[in-house]
Amino acid sequence: MRKTMLRCVVGVLLSMLLAGCAREAAAPAVHFFAEGQPPTLAEWNLLRVADGRLKLNAGVVPYDLNTPLFSDYAHKLRTVWMPQGQAAQYRADQVFDFPVGTVFSKTFYYPRGPAGGDAVLRSTDEGPDLRGGGLELAKVRLIETRLLLRRKEGWVALPYVWNAEQTEARLMRGGALISLSLVAADGQRETAEYQVPDQNQCAGCHGIDMKSKALQPIGPKARHLNRDFAYDDGLNNQIARWTRTGYLRGAPAAAIAPRDANWRDPKANLDARARAYLDINCGHCHSPKGPGNTSGLWLDAATREPMRLGRCKLPIAAGKGTGDFRHDIVPGKPDESILLYRMRSDDPSVMMPELGRSVVHTEGVRLIRDWIAAQQGQCG
């Protein structure tokens, strides 16, 4: 009797093991295309729709940023994948040096509103909830997934737009315009004309060096990545996780790596929060090498000179964008500062950033208003 029971138990365990292996084997391996532009996102095998969720395939690692870029209140699922045996080289202050074959994905989505239809929630992105193995599709509306991939000749950007059924995302090289109804916590609604960029517009943010004009990643820097992430097996620092996964070499301990502030953290230093927000939203353009370098307003993390940061700085050829104000930042007077004026605008000829938003980021404006109001001094 005991032998019979033992054989049954062993048989059940073996069946479970084989079934698990079968399920694992059924998950397709990531397919890196060294050339061409596959018409569907599914061909890359980075993400898959299964069991009512958007799931990550083997080797695809999710990540998040301390302070993320604002995009019309969209939430984002960010992932990275690299070929087996390949790893990025750590850099303290720049984007890591990623190997050929690296693929980043960024899926833009919104939590669904209680009324259904086109209504989505206007809420702060606190990071993706991947408990249960992926994004629960019944609770989110998928908009697009952008890929940024490293080929031999350089980085290439590909925008894929999800269908209404959330079963497939297709390449839209010409971009798309999607009307959304954003519902705030108090029930107020706001219309957003969400723009999926065309391939040329991707250079508006990712062409961070005016000399080379080559596309580059923006987010994967030590200061943005140095934070914890809720993985399936628990909370773990991302730099440590990438190192352990084999995706990063040469990184120091997370405790001594650069770390940006979380712009939403009220306990953090106000200046650090504001600088982190301006760095990720504006610094890739407004930097010594970026497309906005001729403005003389540099908002990247490395800039420390008060005048370069806008303090009592006269605008250069801003035209209508000045709002008839004299200085980019007037210490203690946010409502007389051009920087805040342009952030508060949704006029395409005035607003900053120029790309990636159609509505005003109310919470971001409040942060920068508080930052300017706290500054002391007078402009001559």
Side-chain angles (χ1 to χ4, degrees):
M1 175 66 74
R2 291 180 178 177
K3 291 183 178 179
T4 301
M5 291 181 63
L6 181 60
R7 283 197 295 270
C8 289
V9 172
V10 170
V12 170
L13 292 175
L14 183 59
S15 297
M16 292 174 63
L17 179 62
L18 291 174
C21 291
R23 285 194 297 270
E24 190 68 28
V30 173
H31 185 176
F32 176 76
F33 291 86
E35 57 184 21
Q37 300 186 1
T40 66
L41 178 65
E43 293 174 72
W44 293 89
N45 293 335
L46 293 160
L47 309 168
R48 71 184 189 280
V49 174
D51 304 322
R53 295 180 182 273
L54 182 64
K55 298 186 175 184
L56 281 58
N57 280 335
V60 179
V61 177
Y63 70 95
D64 208 351
L65 308 181
N66 278 313
T67 291
L69 177 75
F70 174 74
S71 307
D72 279 349
Y73 289 98
H75 295 221
K76 298 162 189 175
L77 167 60
R78 299 172 176 84
T79 74
V80 62
W81 176 89
M82 296 178 215
Q84 188 172 3
Q86 298 295 312
Q89 183 62 40
Y90 178 86
R91 293 171 173 171
D93 300 316
Q94 304 176 50
V95 171
F96 298 157
D97 185 10
F98 290 95
V100 171
T102 300
V103 183
F104 288 101
S105 80
K106 185 159 60 172
T107 298
F108 295 70
Y109 66 95
Y110 289 86
R112 288 192 178 275
D118 290 334
V120 295
L121 297 183
R122 174 183 147 167
S123 58
T124 299
D125 183 7
E126 300 288 350
D129 183 358
L130 302 180
R131 291 173 296 179
L135 290 178
E136 190 173 351
L137 294 178
K139 295 182 178 180
V140 302
R141 178 178 175 183
L142 303 179
I143 303 296
E144 60 162 324
T145 297
R146 301 178 193 174
L147 300 187
L148 188 63
L149 47 133
R150 178 71 186 273
R151 288 176 170 165
K152 187 176 181 180
E153 66 274 16
W155 291 94
V156 176
L158 299 175
Y160 291 86
V161 177
W162 286 90
N163 61 11
E165 297 76 22
Q166 305 196 138
T167 57
E168 181 182 64
R170 298 195 64 86
L171 181 65
M172 299 289 283
R173 296 180 59 189
L177 195 63
I178 301 172
S179 294
L180 297 170
S181 179
L182 303 180
V183 183
D186 60 3
Q188 291 190 356
R189 290 178 176 244
E190 180 179 18
T191 299
E193 296 298 327
Y194 181 99
Q195 184 175 13
V196 178
D198 63 40
Q199 283 185 291
N200 291 329
Q201 287 175 319
C202 292
C205 288
H206 289 278
I208 58 178
D209 188 328
M210 282 301 291
K211 288 186 178 180
S212 69
K213 296 186 178 179
L215 300 187
Q216 293 284 339
I218 296 171
K221 301 174 184 176
R223 64 179 179 269
H224 300 319
L225 293 172
N226 191 3
R227 53 161 289 172
D228 289 342
F229 188 90
Y231 298 97
D232 286 341
D233 56 359
L235 208 62
N236 194 205
N237 179 273
Q238 292 183 141
I239 290 179
R241 184 71 168 218
W242 284 31
T243 299
R244 194 175 78 194
T245 304
Y247 278 1
L248 184 61
R249 295 178 184 145
I256 61 175
R259 184 194 298 262
D260 254 354
N262 179 344
W263 76 278
R264 303 181 299 269
D265 183 3
K267 297 180 182 179
N269 176 272
L270 175 61
D271 182 69
R273 292 168 58 206
R275 289 300 310 277
Y277 182 89
L278 293 172
D279 178 36
I280 195 67
N281 283 281
C282 315
H284 49 275
C285 181
H286 283 273
S287 72
K289 294 183 178 180
N293 67 342
T294 55
S295 70
L297 179 66
W298 299 347
L299 300 173
D300 59 306
T303 298
R304 296 295 177 206
E305 184 183 347
M307 179 72 78
R308 289 294 188 189
L309 289 170
R311 184 184 175 90
C312 297
K313 178 190 163 301
L314 296 172
I316 299 175
K320 183 179 177 181
T322 66
D324 293 328
F325 298 118
R326 286 183 53 81
H327 300 99
D328 289 343
I329 291 177
V330 181
K333 298 180 179 179
D335 291 328
E336 297 179 18
S337 300
I338 297 172
L339 176 63
L340 193 71
Y341 169 73
R342 304 192 76 169
M343 287 181 62
R344 290 185 305 182
S345 175
D346 58 5
D347 181 342
S349 65
V350 173
M351 69 183 192
M352 283 288 175
E354 297 174 307
L355 301 173
R357 75 172 179 94
S358 64
V359 301
V360 176
H361 189 196
T362 303
E363 298 80 5
V365 166
R366 185 181 303 124
L367 171 65
I368 302 305
R369 173 187 290 278
D370 291 346
W371 178 61
I372 296 175
Q375 296 182 27
Q376 297 181 352
Q378 294 183 343
C379 298

